[in-house]
Amino acid sequence: MEERLAALWLSRRMGAGSRLAVRLISSFGSAAAVYQAPEEEIKSRFPQDAARILKSLSDKQADLDAEILAFCEQKKITLLTYADERYPKALLGLRDYPLVLFAVGKMLDLNQTFCCSVVGTRKMSP
């Protein structure tokens, strides 16, 4: 599986900013390797979290993820993964960095330009 598709697949299964997803990538080397990892290998490397990981990753169908990639390409939405050269290196220092970033418009060099982001919630609680 191509790495961009695998990163999107893993991010959608484990959740954006999942520490466990980052640990899986660190252990297996890439999101594609996580996708291809046998159940027994996941169990042996992550005995404490194996049940939760395997439940999250049980959906090996990446059809919707491929549709999302195609949609992004059609609408000129840039999809950056943690493995992309243009991905902000500062984010990789986080324990729970997002595996995938989406961007619309002109892509600046996020490693050379001052960047600021605002993170909020769609469903605010009191």
Side-chain angles (χ1 to χ4, degrees):
M1 172 181 276
E2 186 240 334
E3 187 60 24
R4 281 180 0 129
L5 182 58
L8 181 58
W9 170 83
L10 184 58
S11 178
R12 288 181 15 86
R13 297 326 177 275
M14 299 297 292
S18 166
R19 286 184 187 162
L20 198 47
V22 171
R23 286 178 49 216
L24 283 164
I25 288 172
S26 178
S27 178
F28 286 96
S30 70
V34 173
Y35 180 85
Q36 296 168 350
E39 253 185 56
E40 293 307 315
E41 186 68 23
I42 291 172
K43 287 178 184 176
S44 70
R45 291 188 192 196
F46 296 89
Q48 301 287 331
D49 300 307
R52 188 172 68 161
I53 293 169
L54 293 171
K55 182 179 179 191
S56 297
L57 302 184
S58 64
D59 179 10
K60 291 286 189 177
Q61 299 300 316
D63 297 342
L64 180 57
D65 305 303
E67 287 179 33
I68 292 169
L69 280 180
F71 176 84
C72 288
E73 289 172 8
Q74 177 189 21
K75 298 295 183 182
K76 300 192 182 337
I77 299 169
T78 302
L79 187 144
L80 295 177
T81 72
Y82 69 93
D84 193 302
E85 295 261 336
R86 300 172 299 165
Y87 187 93
K89 303 299 181 234
L91 289 180
L92 292 174
L94 301 174
R95 291 184 308 184
D96 56 354
Y97 61 82
L99 303 183
V100 179
L101 299 174
F102 297 91
V104 177
K106 181 181 176 188
M107 276 300 299
L108 301 173
D109 183 343
L110 300 173
N111 292 303
Q112 297 295 322
T113 306
F114 174 76
C115 299
C116 176
S117 66
V118 177
V119 178
T121 181
R122 292 175 189 220
K123 297 180 181 177
M124 292 179 20
S125 63

